[in-house]
Amino acid sequence: MTVPADPIRPSLVALHPAQSGIIPRGTRVEVFQQIFDVFLVLGTLVGVVVVGYMVYNAYKYRDDGGERPDDAPKVGELPTGGGGGRKLFLSFGLSTIIVVSLILWTYGTLLYVEDEATVEGGDDVQIDVVGYRFGWDFVYPNGHETSTLRVPANETVQLNVTSEDVFHTFGVPELRVKTDAIPGQQTQTWLEAEETGTYRARCFEICGAGHSYMTAEVEVMRPSDYENWYANTSAENSSAVAGPSEIGPRATAGPRASAVSQGVVG
Amino acid sequence: MSHLRLYTGIFAALAAFATAQVFVEQAGGLPYWTAFWVIIALSLVKAVLVAWYFQHLKWEPRSVSATIFTGLLAAIALTAAAAYSIL
Amino acid sequence: MTDETSDPRTDGGERVRESRRGAKRTDGGTAAAGHETDHHHGLPAPSSIKRWLVTTNHKDVGILYTVTALFFLVFGGVLALLMRVQLWTPGATILEPLQYNQAVSAHGLIMIFWFLSPFAFGFANYVVPLQIGAKDLAFPRLNALSYWLYLFSGILFGVSFFQGGTFAGGWTMYAPLNLPVYTPNIGASTAVLALLLFVVSVTVSSVNFLTTMHRMRAEGLTLRRMPLFTWTILLTTWMMLFAFAALLAALMILSADRLIGTQYFAATGHAGSLLWAHLFWFFGHPEVYIVFFPALGVMAECFQTFTGKRIVGRKWFIAAMVLVALQSFLVWMHHMFLTSINLEIKTLFMATTIGISLPFDLMVFALVYTMLKGRVRFTTPFLFSFGALVLFILGGITGVFLGAVVLDYEFRGTYWVVAHFHYVMVGGITALVGGLYYWYPKMTGKMYDKFLGKLHFAMYFVGFNLLYFPMFVAWETPRRDFVYPEIYTTWHQLSTVGAFLLGASFLVMFYNLWVSLSTGEDASDNPWQFSTTTEWAIPSPPPLENFPGKPSFSSGSLEFLPDGSDAGDIEPAGPGGREPAATDGGEATTDGGEAATDGSETDADDGEDDDDGKLVTDGGRVMTDGGQPMTDDEQVVADDGTAGAADANAGVADEKATDGGTVTVYDEHAADDEEHGEDHASIWPFRIGLTSFLFLVGLSGLRQGSFPEGLEGGAYLGLTVVAGVGLLWALVGMGREEFHGLEGPFGESWPFTGINNTKLGVWIFLASDVVLFGAFVGSYAFIRVAEGWQNNWHHLIPADHVVLPGLINTYLLLTSSFTVVLALVACEKRSKWGLIGSLATTLVLGIAFLINKAMEWQHLFHVHSEAFPNGWNIGTNVASSTFYLTTGLHALHVIAGLVITLYLIARAWNGAYLDDDQPVELFGLYWHFVDIVWLFLFPLFYIL
Ligand code: HEM
Ligand SMILES: [Cu+2]
Ligand SMILES: [Cu+2]
């Protein structure tokens, strides 16, 4: 995936001038992919080197049945340590440097995705997401409720997520957005989709019989289409099955219709 | 047994502190959070007195006190960090 | 073995033989001649079933743990296979959705609680006393009790399947899904109660192991010199002590919510859901190290034994583990990065999480470097240990991914997490399986079939990676979900194949270990060439009394001294002591001192070594007992978090052991009299286990404080009552039983010299109780912060809730504490009536406390105000719930204390305690603790 320059958030570049360039920015999809790739490469490298070294040495120093060395451990001796401390500390130091710098690097991005300006930006689209067993309601600022999340492409969309019954986790894997839906609590997150199309949101925390089917459609529309659609909505013509005001567990235990089709991720 | 007077004195102090706690609240002179910490501090002092003398921690190896203190620290870490996390 | 003379046991054995008196030896593990049983205070032969019901010997209990744990491995494994079958294609419903959720949840709970930890504790039971040179654990009967509570808690969990289905909310049991509104089956309650019972078992066990390991090490075996496996168990039990206390609080609250209708986790509350997450993960993260540390210990032992090298950087290895154990309590919110916790706290916990991964790097490198210049022998235990390290490395690397919060945001709730923790946890299991092969010859006296052992490893390792690696590739599969993106189908099918291969590999193991029991070669004392720890210096299996004398390291290496001897009298036993203790640690910067062995030319000898048969295996070792007359060791019976004291502890003899040094001055007591030997049998632990099981089955029927109508409800109620009485009977029975455990003086007791076992046990138990109440108070504070500490909170409480009853109760309790102090003073003055008078006053004050509380509660239940038209009951709101439950738990502690007081009064009436006031003192510790708790509850619930 190519990483386009970020046209939307000049303010953020100003906020972290020293880090610009190194710290991944952009949509969540972009930052995740960049960081994941780096971790994957380094992780694989470290894994291969360490495991390879282990296997190599285990083979190299395999027992040849020779004489028992004089200083070999004996039953009844008090445990002591062997030599090799310098090597130990060198490798330890190296691994520390790798791990700590990796994490510091990602921390820059964490600050970016959690930035107040990003999370609670002024004129972004704001949508309340309410999880219930077993589905999602999306509530727009004008009071319109639907069971399909419609958002404009290439715009930051703010989500306010909660649950009206048990603990759920709202996530749209393809858009790399995820946050817990906790009864009595609000969590904030944002998403930005670059391509129009249909995506699938789903639940990521076990919540009962319908957990595997607790999905919702996410429709990313062209901004103009979105404006049109939104202009025609109101609290009255809501399409959601039930509003978040309904308290208590719902009877819907079985799979919902939307669950039958399989969303293909990726 | 020579400690008997000491024990009696401590008992009197404990009762007095308990009374003081109620008094601090009822008198209402202090701002809430000042009163809060005063009251908690009084509880702490009482607890330490009981543990130190009645439970003989004063005369046990320090490691025993350390063990109890570790448990206390764990509980405080849980309480403080959890409460702070939702502020 | 070329250098016989350097083996300390040659020497030690000789010495012992010279001083042999009336050799008395029984075979602890296999056959014991019938007539010998009476020498051992009623312990029947191993072939009889009764033996296994009454035994309190640590080796027997170890075997019981191991076998039971393996049973639960099969149980959890079958559930896992069911899930894997379901996942063959996306969205299959071989199991109904709810059944699938039950399988997921039960699998996790069983594997983590009823298999993994107990499996490790099978070895801990068997091996730790041997490694530290103790004849048994400090409290053998409590050890048996731990086992029976463990077994019966597992059976209770099994029962839950038949009560409308077991718990279906995941092993993390998130709230409020864990409440009856959402998981209404009775079985779900039973599962929670089963876990509660398990936690009680763990707590008893922790107290026991900590006391043992701290107080009962052989002379010269200072903490720094302790074998690494024992080190890992020591740290594990410390973590268990505190972590499981938090879980106990969580489970008690959950049980109260489920059974009597408190409102902590209800969805209507503001923060109940988060509160559970905090409590659970505060326990949960230490728990992952609790299950992993013993595995690390096995790896450390096996790496040393099978490379013929001492571990690199031993001192740092230990330091790293200590650091991890401490820090494990400060990382829990990395499981909550997606919740509503604030950014500052996320940052903090990201830092601690990454911090805690670093010591692990050091440990891994230490193990890897230990192989260098060694003589690596690919025996079955080594293969498993080596494999475990590889798996752990992969698991650790993927853990670092999770520690990066931005990545965790996406990984949370997916198979990435599933794959990560299976690599680390099942990686740990891998090492423990290695441990089973390592210690099997010791535990059974037989060698397993080596080829089948290696076959097992090959199948296991391939199966493992086939099962779990595809989960990394298919990581976008949602967790605990059987509908997944179709493109991952192939990967999931590979996984399923791997799962069956892994399962099948265990069939090979069971077959091998079972058949070898009868047909295996006899194992020598030390079947592994370069092992060092004490268990390899004694027969396989060890005799009941473990050692042919008093183990001591004061000369620098292991010797068995004739009993009753003073270490100072005996000259060091030859070259075995030539490793000076000062070489401890890896700070040495060169490794050039090793004897260079060129292993690369010839083929490695791939066989398991069995060359140590030349060691002394003289059957006629002297078995003498530890010295002084024994006294009852049992003081604390942890029962649902309350201490029920038991019988007279007739004072543990005063010790004059020096701190951390090597010389222990011995009282030259007649050590030859068999009447003074330890007891090894008691049926009461079994009875307590059984009755608590039945009691909890009965209790599971409870809902909203009452049993359902009709026959079923009646059955539950009846069972509760009958079993409750039975439980009380069993507790009292155990308290009254004469049982002689081990008595000091022991060798090394740092840092707890100068306090005897029983008192230390009580203190350690109280430390866990501190965490229990701490977690209750923490929950209260958390909920109150979430609701709004001052204003909103006061609306939840009726005006009738006033300070006065609390203040009166404070005075009552403080006075009762003072009278307990007076009771002890009376003992010192040998004043029988002073003692009885003080205790009776305590009793009266305690009862007054309860009556006052009852009146207060009655009043509050029936308030009639505008805000509370129906009274202020347990379930009225979170404020009432926290108030009643927290002070109620305290009241239960008071009641338990009063029962003990009654018992003490009865005994005092008959003249007890004037010569030995320890029981009164111990009761005092408990009672003052209850007092202290109230000192905090009073301001929190009445004033502020
Ligand atoms: C190398 C250092 C490690 C790091 C940095 C690490 C980090 C993490 C993180 C951040 C999570 C939370 C994932 C999520 O749910 O979003 C996690 C989950 C988990 N880790 Fe680790 N971990 C490490 C080692 C271990 C070890 C040694 C064990 C156990 C032997 C372990 C067992 C687990 C378990 C059981 C879970 C999942 C709990 C659950 O959600 O059910 N981890 N780890
Ligand atoms: Cu769900
Ligand atoms: Cu963790």
Side-chain angles (χ1 to χ4, degrees), chain A residues 92-142:
Chain A
F92 174 61
L94 196 65
S95 70
T96 305
I97 291 169
I98 296 179
V99 170
V100 171
S101 39
L102 269 181
I103 294 297
L104 282 180
W105 175 64
T106 66
Y107 186 60
T109 303
L110 177 66
L111 290 181
Y112 158 75
V113 297
E114 292 282 309
D115 195 292
E116 298 282 308
T118 321
V119 178
E120 284 152 22
D123 18 308
D124 297 328
V125 182
Q126 305 258 0
I127 303 169
D128 290 342
V129 179
V130 182
Y132 61 89
R133 300 190 341 147
F134 297 95
W136 303 96
D137 277 349
F138 304 99
V139 186
Y140 287 78
N142 63 4

Coordinates of all heavy atoms in Angstrom, one line a residue, chain A residues 92-142:
Chain A
F92 N 21.8 -9.0 26.1 CA 20.7 -8.4 26.8 C 20.6 -6.9 26.5 O 19.5 -6.4 26.2 CB 20.9 -8.6 28.3 CG 20.0 -7.8 29.2 CD1 18.6 -8.1 29.1 CD2 20.4 -6.8 30.1 CE1 17.7 -7.4 29.9 CE2 19.5 -6.2 30.9 CZ 18.1 -6.5 30.8
G93 N 21.8 -6.2 26.5 CA 21.8 -4.8 26.1 C 21.2 -4.6 24.7 O 20.4 -3.7 24.5
L94 N 21.7 -5.4 23.8 CA 21.2 -5.3 22.4 C 19.7 -5.4 22.3 O 19.0 -4.6 21.7 CB 21.9 -6.3 21.6 CG 21.9 -6.1 20.1 CD1 22.7 -4.8 19.7 CD2 22.4 -7.3 19.3
S95 N 19.2 -6.5 23.0 CA 17.7 -6.7 22.9 C 17.0 -5.6 23.5 O 15.9 -5.1 23.0 CB 17.4 -8.0 23.5 OG 17.5 -8.0 24.9
T96 N 17.5 -5.0 24.6 CA 16.9 -3.9 25.2 C 16.8 -2.7 24.3 O 15.7 -2.1 24.2 CB 17.7 -3.5 26.5 OG1 17.8 -4.6 27.3 CG2 16.9 -2.4 27.2
I97 N 17.9 -2.5 23.6 CA 17.9 -1.3 22.7 C 16.9 -1.5 21.6 O 16.1 -0.6 21.3 CB 19.3 -1.1 22.1 CG1 20.3 -0.7 23.2 CG2 19.3 -0.1 21.0 CD1 21.7 -0.7 22.9
I98 N 16.8 -2.7 21.1 CA 15.9 -2.9 20.0 C 14.5 -2.7 20.5 O 13.7 -2.0 19.9 CB 16.0 -4.4 19.4 CG1 17.4 -4.5 18.8 CG2 14.9 -4.7 18.4 CD1 17.6 -5.9 18.3
V99 N 14.1 -3.4 21.6 CA 12.8 -3.4 22.0 C 12.4 -1.9 22.4 O 11.3 -1.4 22.0 CB 12.6 -4.3 23.2 CG1 11.2 -4.1 23.9 CG2 12.7 -5.8 22.7
V100 N 13.2 -1.3 23.2 CA 12.8 0.0 23.7 C 12.7 1.0 22.6 O 11.7 1.8 22.5 CB 13.8 0.5 24.8 CG1 13.6 2.0 25.1 CG2 13.7 -0.4 26.0
S101 N 13.6 1.0 21.6 CA 13.5 2.0 20.6 C 12.3 1.7 19.7 O 11.6 2.6 19.3 CB 14.8 2.0 19.7 OG 15.3 0.8 19.5
L102 N 12.0 0.4 19.5 CA 10.8 0.1 18.7 C 9.5 0.7 19.4 O 8.7 1.3 18.8 CB 10.6 -1.4 18.6 CG 11.2 -2.1 17.4 CD1 10.9 -3.6 17.5 CD2 10.6 -1.5 16.1
I103 N 9.5 0.5 20.7 CA 8.3 0.9 21.4 C 8.2 2.4 21.5 O 7.1 3.0 21.3 CB 8.3 0.3 22.8 CG1 8.1 -1.2 22.8 CG2 7.1 0.9 23.6 CD1 6.8 -1.7 22.1
L104 N 9.3 3.0 21.7 CA 9.3 4.5 21.7 C 8.8 5.0 20.3 O 8.0 6.0 20.2 CB 10.7 5.1 22.0 CG 11.1 5.0 23.4 CD1 12.4 5.6 23.6 CD2 10.0 5.8 24.3
W105 N 9.3 4.4 19.3 CA 8.8 4.8 18.0 C 7.3 4.7 17.8 O 6.7 5.6 17.3 CB 9.6 3.9 17.0 CG 9.2 4.0 15.5 CD1 9.4 5.1 14.8 CD2 8.6 3.0 14.7 NE1 9.0 4.9 13.5 CE2 8.5 3.6 13.4 CE3 8.2 1.7 14.9 CZ2 7.9 2.9 12.4 CZ3 7.7 1.0 13.9 CH2 7.5 1.6 12.6
T106 N 6.8 3.5 18.2 CA 5.3 3.4 18.1 C 4.6 4.3 19.0 O 3.4 4.7 18.8 CB 4.9 1.9 18.4 OG1 5.1 1.7 19.8 CG2 5.6 0.9 17.5
Y107 N 5.2 4.7 20.1 CA 4.6 5.6 21.0 C 4.2 6.9 20.4 O 3.2 7.5 20.6 CB 5.4 5.8 22.3 CG 4.7 6.6 23.3 CD1 3.5 6.1 23.9 CD2 5.2 7.8 23.8 CE1 2.8 6.9 24.8 CE2 4.5 8.6 24.7 CZ 3.3 8.1 25.2 OH 2.6 8.8 26.2
G108 N 5.1 7.4 19.5 CA 4.8 8.6 18.7 C 3.5 8.4 18.0 O 2.7 9.4 18.0
T109 N 3.3 7.3 17.4 CA 2.1 7.1 16.6 C 0.9 7.0 17.6 O -0.2 7.4 17.3 CB 2.2 5.8 15.8 OG1 3.3 6.0 14.9 CG2 1.0 5.6 15.0
L110 N 1.1 6.4 18.7 CA 0.0 6.3 19.7 C -0.5 7.7 20.0 O -1.7 8.0 20.0 CB 0.5 5.6 21.0 CG -0.6 5.5 22.0 CD1 -1.8 4.6 21.6 CD2 -0.1 5.0 23.3
L111 N 0.5 8.6 20.3 CA 0.1 10.0 20.6 C -0.6 10.6 19.5 O -1.6 11.3 19.7 CB 1.4 10.8 20.9 CG 2.1 10.4 22.2 CD1 3.3 11.3 22.4 CD2 1.1 10.6 23.4
Y112 N -0.2 10.2 18.3 CA -0.9 10.8 17.1 C -2.3 10.3 17.0 O -3.3 11.0 16.9 CB -0.1 10.5 15.9 CG -0.9 10.5 14.6 CD1 -1.3 11.7 14.0 CD2 -1.2 9.3 14.0 CE1 -2.0 11.7 12.9 CE2 -2.0 9.3 12.8 CZ -2.3 10.5 12.3 OH -3.1 10.5 11.1
V113 N -2.5 9.0 17.1 CA -3.9 8.5 17.0 C -4.8 8.9 18.2 O -6.0 8.9 18.1 CB -4.0 6.9 16.8 CG1 -3.3 6.5 15.5 CG2 -3.5 6.2 17.9
E114 N -4.2 9.1 19.3 CA -4.9 9.5 20.5 C -5.1 11.0 20.6 O -5.6 11.5 21.6 CB -4.3 8.9 21.7 CG -4.4 7.4 21.8 CD -5.7 6.9 22.3 OE1 -6.2 7.4 23.3 OE2 -6.3 6.0 21.6
D115 N -4.5 11.7 19.7 CA -4.5 13.2 19.9 C -5.9 13.7 20.0 O -6.8 13.3 19.3 CB -3.8 13.8 18.7 CG -3.4 15.2 18.9 OD1 -4.3 16.1 19.1 OD2 -2.2 15.5 19.0
E116 N -6.0 14.6 21.0 CA -7.3 15.2 21.2 C -7.9 15.7 19.9 O -9.1 15.5 19.6 CB -7.2 16.4 22.1 CG -6.7 16.1 23.5 CD -7.8 15.5 24.4 OE1 -8.8 16.1 24.5 OE2 -7.6 14.3 24.9
A117 N -7.1 16.4 19.1 CA -7.6 17.0 17.9 C -8.1 15.9 17.0 O -9.0 16.1 16.2 CB -6.4 17.8 17.2
T118 N -7.4 14.7 17.0 CA -7.9 13.7 16.1 C -9.1 13.1 16.7 O -10.1 12.8 15.9 CB -6.8 12.6 16.1 OG1 -5.5 13.2 16.0 CG2 -7.0 11.7 14.9
V119 N -9.2 12.8 18.0 CA -10.3 12.1 18.5 C -11.5 12.9 18.6 O -12.6 12.5 18.4 CB -9.9 11.5 19.9 CG1 -11.1 10.8 20.5 CG2 -8.7 10.6 19.7
E120 N -11.3 14.2 19.0 CA -12.5 15.0 19.2 C -12.6 16.2 18.3 O -12.9 17.3 18.7 CB -12.6 15.5 20.7 CG -13.1 14.3 21.6 CD -12.5 14.5 23.0 OE1 -12.2 15.7 23.3 OE2 -12.5 13.5 23.7
G121 N -12.1 16.0 17.1 CA -12.0 17.1 16.1 C -13.3 17.8 16.0 O -14.4 17.2 16.0
G122 N -13.2 19.1 15.7 CA -14.4 19.9 15.7 C -15.5 19.5 14.7 O -16.6 19.1 15.1
D123 N -15.2 19.7 13.4 CA -16.4 19.5 12.4 C -16.4 18.1 11.8 O -17.0 17.9 10.8 CB -16.3 20.6 11.4 CG -15.0 21.3 11.3 OD1 -14.5 21.7 12.4 OD2 -14.4 21.3 10.2
D124 N -15.7 17.2 12.4 CA -15.7 15.8 11.8 C -17.1 15.3 12.0 O -17.9 15.7 12.9 CB -14.7 14.9 12.5 CG -13.3 15.4 12.3 OD1 -13.1 15.9 11.2 OD2 -12.5 15.2 13.2
V125 N -17.4 14.2 11.3 CA -18.7 13.5 11.5 C -18.6 12.8 12.8 O -17.6 12.1 13.1 CB -18.8 12.5 10.3 CG1 -20.2 11.8 10.5 CG2 -18.7 13.2 9.0
Q126 N -19.7 12.9 13.6 CA -19.7 12.3 14.9 C -20.8 11.3 14.9 O -22.0 11.6 14.6 CB -20.0 13.3 16.0 CG -19.1 14.5 16.0 CD -18.0 14.4 17.1 OE1 -18.0 13.4 17.9 NE2 -17.1 15.3 17.2
I127 N -20.5 10.1 15.3 CA -21.5 9.0 15.3 C -21.4 8.3 16.7 O -20.3 7.9 17.1 CB -21.3 8.0 14.2 CG1 -21.4 8.8 12.8 CG2 -22.4 7.0 14.2 CD1 -21.0 8.0 11.6
D128 N -22.6 8.0 17.3 CA -22.6 7.2 18.5 C -22.8 5.8 18.1 O -23.7 5.5 17.2 CB -23.7 7.6 19.4 CG -23.4 9.0 20.1 OD1 -22.2 9.4 20.1 OD2 -24.4 9.6 20.5
V129 N -22.0 4.9 18.6 CA -22.2 3.5 18.3 C -22.6 2.8 19.6 O -22.0 2.9 20.6 CB -20.8 2.8 17.9 CG1 -21.0 1.4 17.6 CG2 -20.3 3.6 16.7
V130 N -23.7 2.0 19.5 CA -24.2 1.3 20.7 C -24.3 -0.1 20.4 O -25.0 -0.6 19.5 CB -25.6 1.9 21.1 CG1 -26.1 1.2 22.3 CG2 -25.6 3.4 21.3
G131 N -23.6 -0.9 21.2 CA -23.6 -2.4 21.0 C -24.7 -2.9 21.9 O -25.0 -2.4 22.9
Y132 N -25.3 -4.0 21.4 CA -26.3 -4.7 22.2 C -26.2 -6.1 21.7 O -25.7 -6.5 20.7 CB -27.7 -4.1 22.0 CG -28.2 -4.2 20.5 CD1 -28.9 -5.4 20.1 CD2 -28.0 -3.2 19.6 CE1 -29.3 -5.5 18.8 CE2 -28.4 -3.3 18.3 CZ -29.1 -4.4 17.9 OH -29.5 -4.5 16.6
R133 N -26.8 -7.0 22.5 CA -26.8 -8.4 22.1 C -27.9 -8.7 21.1 O -29.1 -8.6 21.5 CB -27.0 -9.3 23.3 CG -25.9 -9.1 24.3 CD -25.8 -10.0 25.5 NE -26.9 -10.8 25.8 CZ -26.8 -12.0 26.3 NH1 -25.7 -12.6 26.5 NH2 -27.9 -12.7 26.5
F134 N -27.6 -8.9 19.8 CA -26.3 -9.1 19.2 C -26.3 -8.2 17.9 O -26.6 -8.7 16.9 CB -26.1 -10.5 18.9 CG -26.1 -11.4 20.1 CD1 -27.2 -12.1 20.5 CD2 -24.9 -11.5 20.9 CE1 -27.2 -12.8 21.7 CE2 -24.9 -12.2 22.0 CZ -26.0 -12.9 22.5
G135 N -26.0 -7.0 18.1 CA -25.9 -6.1 16.9 C -25.4 -4.7 17.3 O -25.0 -4.5 18.4
W136 N -25.5 -3.8 16.3 CA -25.0 -2.5 16.6 C -26.0 -1.4 16.1 O -26.6 -1.6 15.1 CB -23.7 -2.3 15.8 CG -22.6 -3.3 16.2 CD1 -22.3 -4.4 15.5 CD2 -21.7 -3.2 17.3 NE1 -21.3 -5.1 16.1 CE2 -20.9 -4.4 17.2 CE3 -21.5 -2.3 18.3 CZ2 -19.9 -4.6 18.2 CZ3 -20.6 -2.6 19.3 CH2 -19.8 -3.7 19.2
D137 N -26.1 -0.4 16.9 CA -26.9 0.7 16.5 C -26.0 1.9 16.2 O -25.1 2.1 17.0 CB -27.9 1.2 17.6 CG -29.2 0.3 17.5 OD1 -29.4 -0.4 16.5 OD2 -29.9 0.4 18.5
F138 N -26.3 2.7 15.2 CA -25.5 3.9 14.9 C -26.4 5.1 15.0 O -27.4 5.1 14.3 CB -24.8 3.7 13.6 CG -24.0 2.5 13.5 CD1 -24.5 1.3 12.8 CD2 -22.7 2.4 14.0 CE1 -23.8 0.2 12.8 CE2 -22.0 1.2 14.0 CZ -22.5 0.1 13.3
V139 N -26.0 6.0 15.8 CA -26.9 7.2 16.1 C -26.1 8.4 15.6 O -25.0 8.7 16.0 CB -27.2 7.3 17.6 CG1 -28.2 8.4 17.8 CG2 -27.7 6.0 18.1
Y140 N -26.8 9.1 14.7 CA -26.2 10.3 14.1 C -26.6 11.5 14.9 O -27.6 11.5 15.6 CB -26.6 10.4 12.6 CG -25.9 9.4 11.8 CD1 -26.3 8.1 11.8 CD2 -24.8 9.7 11.0 CE1 -25.7 7.1 11.0 CE2 -24.1 8.8 10.3 CZ -24.5 7.5 10.3 OH -23.9 6.5 9.6
P141 N -25.9 12.6 14.7 CA -26.1 13.8 15.5 C -27.6 14.3 15.4 O -28.1 14.8 16.3 CB -25.2 14.9 14.9 CG -24.1 14.1 14.3 CD -24.7 12.8 13.8
N142 N -28.2 14.1 14.3 CA -29.6 14.5 14.2 C -30.6 13.5 14.8 O -31.8 13.7 14.6 CB -29.9 14.7 12.7 CG -29.9 13.5 11.9 OD1 -29.6 12.4 12.4 ND2 -30.1 13.6 10.6

